[in-house]
Amino acid sequence: MIDSKTKVVGVVGKPIGHSVSPAMHNAAFSNLGLNYVYLAFEVSDLDGAIGGMRALDVRGFNVTIPYKVDVLKYLDEVDGLAKMIGAVNTVVNDDGMLTGYNTDCSGAVDALVSKVKLKGRTVAVIGAGGAGRAVAFGVAEMGAHVLVVNRTLSRGEGLVSSVNGFFAGSAECGTMDDLKDASVIVNTTPVGMMPDVGGTPVLKKFLRKTHVVMDIVYNPVETRFLRDAKSLGCVTINGVEMFVGQGAKSFELFCGKKAPKGVMWDAVLKLLVSRV
Ligand SMILES: NC(=O)c1ccc[n+]([C@@H]2O[C@H](COP(=O)([O-])OP(=O)(O)OC[C@H]3O[C@@H](n4cnc5c(N)ncnc54)[C@H](OP(=O)(O)O)[C@@H]3O)[C@@H](O)[C@H]2O)c1
């Protein structure tokens, strides 16, 4: 029951109306009997929103598009990995001290390592935006070689140079033709996402049955990219795995309890299926 002791957490972004984070986190709080509530805040004024979070002693919040980079300048501390990536998706408020983390990174890495060894392998990262950066740094930290394939070459080169700044020689730019040399391909672009479900970030002709293929798009759960890969016999990983992984890490940062991942997974799938 919500009462005067309820701790408030949430997500800030714009737009936010389709976020599945409230359903996922509230299911987890309810399952563990924790007196927390998770809300979605559609924010146009980030400066004002952060001031409000401090003033109202909100326990923490997730940050989504378009604020994952902008939020950094408002924080008192930024975790080392988030600093490297240059993006924050989770903020914890300890008595007015705001600390930023990037749980997208560990969410993606945990989803990958559940299916494939990363050390010494080449991981192709399609896209070089915020999520692409999180995946590229995460797999480089695990000892993988990163092949960045991005529509805009200069942005891809920027990511390669920042990864190499921390993990010397572990990243390079490539093209679709270079995917044949990769063991793992991760889509981090929005291509294939609802409502444009006919799109794919990588044409089937570039896929091999030996590829492990992950799509971080989670709506729909099975994208055309994953369907194409499955039809060739590839091992596939859907975006819900990363989504629940990042959410579980954030949950643990907010309340210090082990996240009930199964409950979170069911809540996300139930909501996504209801929207089809
Ligand atoms: N599963 C999860 O937990 C999770 C977590 C975070 C994000 N996501 C999803 O990941 C996706 C990307 O998020 P983001 O924050 O990284 O976005 P972003 O910062 O805007 O980056 C988007 C990237 O995709 C590329 N791109 C966009 N449209 C493209 C197109 N039509 N063809 C080829 N490349 C295209 C962009 O290339 P250019 O550089 O050429 O513009 C850029 O590299 C979103 O769909 C988001 O929902 C999922």
Side-chain angles (χ1 to χ4, degrees), residues 147 175-183 185 206 208 210-211:
L147 181 74
T175 65
M176 293 290 166
D177 285 321
D178 300 317
L179 295 181
K180 61 182 184 321
D181 303 321
S183 305
I185 306 175
F206 294 110
R208 306 276 178 275
T210 49
H211 283 138

Side-chain angles (χ1 to χ4, degrees), residues 32-95:
L32 296 187
L34 298 174
N35 193 1
Y36 281 70
V37 65
Y38 188 107
L39 304 171
F41 299 103
E42 176 130 347
V43 165
S44 302
D45 168 12
L46 185 62
D47 186 71
I50 303 285
M53 300 277 182
R54 286 185 194 273
L56 296 172
D57 196 26
V58 164
R59 169 64 187 139
F61 51 97
N62 288 120
V63 184
T64 188
I65 292 173
Y67 298 126
K68 288 185 183 182
V69 175
D70 290 354
V71 76
L72 268 106
K73 63 175 176 278
Y74 297 102
L75 305 178
D76 303 300
E77 290 278 348
V78 179
D79 163 78
L81 192 60
K83 217 180 267 174
M84 263 194 248
I85 296 164
V88 156
N89 77 325
T90 305
V91 176
V92 177
N93 179 6
D94 288 306
D95 300 322

Side-chain angles (χ1 to χ4, degrees), residues 127-131 150-152 155 188-191 193 216 218 239 242-243:
N150 193 47
R151 178 178 62 179
T152 307
R155 197 175 186 189
T188 72
T189 78
V191 179
M193 193 169 88
I216 76 161
Y218 56 85
M242 171 176 168
F243 186 75

Side-chain angles (χ1 to χ4, degrees), residues 17-225:
H18 280 82
S19 174
V20 290
S21 292
M24 175 172 73
H25 284 273
N26 286 321
F29 290 137
S30 162
N31 177 264
L32 296 187
L34 298 174
N35 193 1
Y36 281 70
V37 65
Y38 188 107
L39 304 171
F41 299 103
E42 176 130 347
V43 165
S44 302
D45 168 12
L46 185 62
D47 186 71
I50 303 285
M53 300 277 182
R54 286 185 194 273
L56 296 172
D57 196 26
V58 164
R59 169 64 187 139
F61 51 97
N62 288 120
V63 184
T64 188
I65 292 173
Y67 298 126
K68 288 185 183 182
V69 175
D70 290 354
V71 76
L72 268 106
K73 63 175 176 278
Y74 297 102
L75 305 178
D76 303 300
E77 290 278 348
V78 179
D79 163 78
L81 192 60
K83 217 180 267 174
M84 263 194 248
I85 296 164
V88 156
N89 77 325
T90 305
V91 176
V92 177
N93 179 6
D94 288 306
D95 300 322
M97 164 101 173
L98 300 187
T99 306
Y101 301 87
N102 190 305
T103 72
D104 283 336
C105 180
S106 53
V109 169
D110 290 353
L112 282 166
V113 299
S114 71
K115 295 273 169 63
V116 61
K117 180 175 157 277
L118 293 175
K119 194 172 166 55
R121 298 274 171 84
T122 294
V123 177
V125 178
I126 315 297
R133 293 186 67 85
V135 173
F137 273 97
V139 299
E141 196 186 34
M142 295 298 289
H145 184 72
V146 188
L147 181 74
V148 176
V149 181
N150 193 47
R151 178 178 62 179
T152 307
L153 182 60
S154 57
R155 197 175 186 189
E157 285 171 342
L159 174 53
V160 163
S161 123
S162 44
V163 171
N164 284 336
F166 289 95
F167 304 101
S170 68
E172 63 180 323
C173 275
T175 65
M176 293 290 166
D177 285 321
D178 300 317
L179 295 181
K180 61 182 184 321
D181 303 321
S183 305
V184 182
I185 306 175
V186 185
N187 173 45
T188 72
T189 78
V191 179
M193 193 169 88
M194 232 17 139
D196 300 317
V197 295
T200 181
V202 179
L203 292 174
K204 194 171 174 179
K205 67 178 180 183
F206 294 110
L207 298 176
R208 306 276 178 275
K209 71 172 183 218
T210 49
H211 283 138
V212 173
V213 171
M214 172 160 146
D215 200 337
I216 76 161
V217 169
Y218 56 85
N219 189 14
V221 177
E222 187 167 85
T223 57
R224 176 179 158 198
F225 181 40

